[in-house]
Amino acid sequence: DYTIRQAIYLITGNKELSLRVIGDHILISGPQPARQTAIPETIPPKEADNHFIIKGILQDQQTNEPIEAGTIGVLATSIGSITNANGEFRLTLPDSLRRSTLYFSHLGYEPRKIEASLLAGQHTVITLGAKIIPIQEVVVRIVNPLRLLRDMKENIRKNYPQSPAYLTTFYREGIERKNKFVGLTEAVFKIYKSAYKPNPAPDQVKLLKMRRIISQQEKDTIIARMKSGINASLSLDLIKELPDFLLTDEKIEPYMYASSDIAVIDDRLAHVIYFEQKRDINSALYRGELYIDTENNALLRAHFEINPKYIKQATGMLVEKKSRNLKITPQKVIYTVTYKPYNGQYYINHVRGDLFFRIKKRKQLFGTFPLHTWFEIDTNRVSRFARSEALPTRTIFAETRFTYDEKFWGNFNMIPPEEKLNDAIGKISSKIEETEE
């Protein structure tokens, strides 16, 4: 008996509401208050607010549990953010993107798209449903994990570039003491990436932009510095420098392997291979998961750690210098490496290392505290650099001399330290592109 507009007015009892149809939604907004004009020559006019805020919580549609590390972004742009441990997100966007489309996604869930104007200025709960992969039939077969690894290595020349390439990357490293950040160093690099061939030339790094943030409250406490974080990021290109857990042709194999699952990585089906050192091996080796594409045998992702049972044996490898008054014990060391395709070839996309330590001051009963250091590098989409341009990669990067470029960094491009780069790189991408010019 009523039109949609009449029904809304009757339900709300307010005929001053503004209605607008956006796709499958109806945006209902209240009457806008009259704007007051500042008195000339009395009060300086306030600069117009050219941004709006999108905030809320991302949840599982079935369980209503918060989704941690979910991605929120603006479609067809490089702007985005991720949810925290409670599923909360907050995104500040310019008014020019009010009619843009937001996308919400997470591994294992169906992505969702909503127009930004529907969420502007509200605290919204967004739910994602589980992603179901339809297949015609289910074939249960025994998968030989060693065969998968050998096929992966045999297809390196086909899946990974055989010519050098330039990669523009964003790098950062941080130090966290007692769950508080005491140091953060960020930079934009140009990387000369040599070909994925036997005995390749070493990769090179050229520093384009850099900034360093140090907590003044911690300047008189224990100082920790990370050495070779850049070199570690380059060395963790597993396809170029095959680690021992990928060298499956040796007569004495120190690892045991198992095909444990099928997973979806960036819309690609992947075999999940779990590996761990054999029980009779008593040295500090690795354990973790490898994700290998079911169609082309490319390594899509590796997540591994130093075996916690023997991690104390790795102290000498992880700690180079320390005060005589300190006892430093590693607690956990985790690495993540991800590859993504570009023009039919796979390139290193994201590398992260998290190193957790327990530090105890000698002769103090309650002098123990945790220390967390981490590094990560993320690539954006050819000749070698001159020696004078190349940045040493085995040094303490945070002590590199640089000129701070306030115009480049601005205020909008700060990535909170707790966000991982592969989820948050959109915030800095537009600035990284400026360096290409």
Side-chain angles (χ1 to χ4, degrees):
D1 296 334
Y2 300 95
T3 65
I4 295 292
R5 181 180 299 274
Q6 291 171 338
I8 292 175
Y9 287 162
L10 285 172
I11 292 170
T12 61
N14 187 347
K15 294 185 178 182
E16 296 182 0
L17 297 176
S18 173
L19 309 181
R20 185 159 62 94
V21 177
I22 303 173
D24 296 333
H25 302 84
I26 298 177
L27 178 64
I28 306 175
S29 54
Q32 298 296 322
R35 296 184 178 181
Q36 296 182 354
T37 304
I39 302 174
E41 300 180 357
T42 303
I43 302 175
K46 183 179 180 181
E47 185 179 353
D49 185 3
N50 297 322
H51 295 79
F52 64 99
I53 296 176
I54 303 293
K55 61 182 180 179
I57 299 176
L58 193 63
Q59 292 183 349
D60 184 291
Q61 192 175 66
Q62 300 297 324
T63 65
N64 292 328
E65 291 293 325
I67 298 177
E68 181 182 0
T71 301
I72 299 95
V74 181
L75 205 62
T77 75
S78 58
I79 299 175
S81 184
I82 63 171
T83 60
N84 63 15
N86 299 318
E88 299 169 335
F89 61 87
R90 181 185 177 92
L91 198 62
T92 301
L93 302 175
D95 276 338
S96 59
L97 295 177
R98 193 174 287 270
R99 295 292 183 91
S100 62
T101 301
L102 300 176
Y103 65 87
F104 301 82
S105 63
H106 190 274
L107 184 66
Y109 290 90
E110 288 286 355
R112 188 172 176 184
K113 299 177 183 178
I114 303 177
E115 184 167 317
S117 59
L118 289 171
L119 308 180
Q122 304 181 48
H123 189 279
T124 313
V125 176
I126 304 295
T127 60
L128 298 182
K131 185 173 185 177
I132 300 174
I133 304 173
I135 55 178
Q136 294 181 349
E137 60 183 12
V138 177
V139 179
V140 180
R141 61 166 62 95
I142 298 175
V143 178
N144 187 330
L146 292 179
R147 178 60 186 272
L148 288 177
L149 292 178
R150 294 186 182 114
D151 289 344
M152 182 270 293
K153 290 197 295 181
E154 290 175 0
N155 285 276
I156 287 178
R157 293 183 62 85
K158 181 182 72 174
N159 290 326
Y160 301 88
Q162 300 301 298
S163 301
Y166 281 135
L167 300 178
T168 305
T169 70
F170 188 73
Y171 172 85
R172 64 180 183 169
E173 60 185 35
I175 298 173
E176 185 180 0
R177 179 177 180 268
K178 296 181 179 179
N179 298 320
K180 293 182 179 180
F181 282 93
V182 299
L184 180 66
T185 306
E186 300 177 317
V188 179
F189 292 152
K190 190 85 166 182
I191 293 183
Y192 168 84
K193 196 71 178 171
S194 58
Y196 287 80
K197 294 181 177 180
N199 302 315
D203 296 339
Q204 287 183 305
V205 174
K206 181 179 179 180
L207 177 62
L208 301 181
K209 299 288 182 180
M210 177 180 174
R211 67 177 172 187
R212 181 169 57 241
I213 304 170
I214 299 175
S215 172
Q216 295 300 314
Q217 297 178 353
E218 300 291 337
K219 62 182 180 181
D220 296 326
T221 63
I222 292 175
I223 298 174
R225 294 187 178 93
M226 179 182 297
K227 185 177 180 181
S228 301
I230 303 172
N231 187 69
S233 297
L234 300 177
S235 300
L236 283 169
D237 187 345
L238 304 180
I239 296 299
K240 180 168 290 186
E241 301 186 26
L242 293 173
D244 57 355
F245 52 78
L246 292 182
L247 298 174
T248 56
D249 296 328
E250 297 181 356
K251 294 182 179 179
I252 302 176
E253 176 57 58
Y255 292 95
M256 17 181 217
Y257 299 85
S259 180
S260 61
D261 202 354
I262 292 286
V264 179
I265 305 293
D266 294 327
D267 295 325
R268 301 285 299 181
L269 276 178
H271 292 290
V272 184
I273 298 177
Y274 176 79
F275 66 92
E276 187 174 9
Q277 67 189 81
K278 292 181 177 178
R279 291 181 176 86
D280 58 347
I281 304 293
N282 298 320
S283 55
L285 299 182
Y286 297 97
R287 70 177 187 184
E289 300 89 31
L290 303 170
Y291 298 81
I292 298 178
D293 194 294
T294 58
E295 293 184 14
N296 57 29
N297 298 306
L299 179 65
L300 303 179
R301 180 179 298 174
H303 181 78
F304 56 101
E305 64 177 339
I306 297 179
N307 193 329
K309 185 177 180 179
Y310 304 105
I311 194 169
K312 291 183 180 180
Q313 298 180 20
T315 303
M317 179 181 68
L318 301 171
V319 180
E320 182 166 302
K321 295 180 181 179
K322 66 180 180 65
S323 168
R324 293 182 179 179
N325 297 323
L326 297 178
K327 181 180 179 182
I328 303 177
T329 306
Q331 303 292 303
K332 184 189 300 183
V333 177
I334 305 174
Y335 301 107
T336 302
V337 181
T338 304
Y339 293 87
K340 282 193 176 181
Y342 179 74
N343 289 341
Q345 299 284 306
Y346 283 84
Y347 291 82
I348 191 76
N349 173 253
H350 179 249
V351 174
R352 182 175 173 104
D354 286 273
L355 297 83
F356 299 85
F357 300 90
R358 177 69 62 179
I359 298 182
K360 185 179 187 306
K361 294 182 180 181
R362 298 185 187 277
K363 298 181 180 180
Q364 290 190 20
L365 184 60
F366 301 104
T368 302
F369 60 87
L371 181 73
H372 173 205
T373 65
W374 51 266
F375 61 87
E376 63 179 331
I377 191 166
D378 195 289
T379 64
N380 249 3
R381 301 285 118 171
V382 189
S383 59
R384 288 171 62 80
F385 301 136
R387 181 180 294 273
S388 59
E389 293 181 327
L391 180 72
T393 62
R394 295 183 179 274
T395 57
I396 298 174
F397 178 62
E399 295 181 351
T400 300
R401 294 183 179 180
F402 69 99
T403 301
Y404 178 70
D405 187 349
E406 183 177 1
K407 181 179 178 182
F408 173 82
W409 292 105
N411 296 320
F412 188 66
N413 296 292
M414 176 63 185
I415 300 176
E418 66 271 12
E419 292 188 15
K420 290 184 172 55
L421 276 182
N422 58 332
D423 295 315
I425 191 64
K427 294 184 178 181
I428 194 70
S429 291
S430 59
K431 286 296 183 180
I432 289 179
E433 291 167 2
E434 290 182 11
T435 63
E436 298 284 354
E437 301 175 2

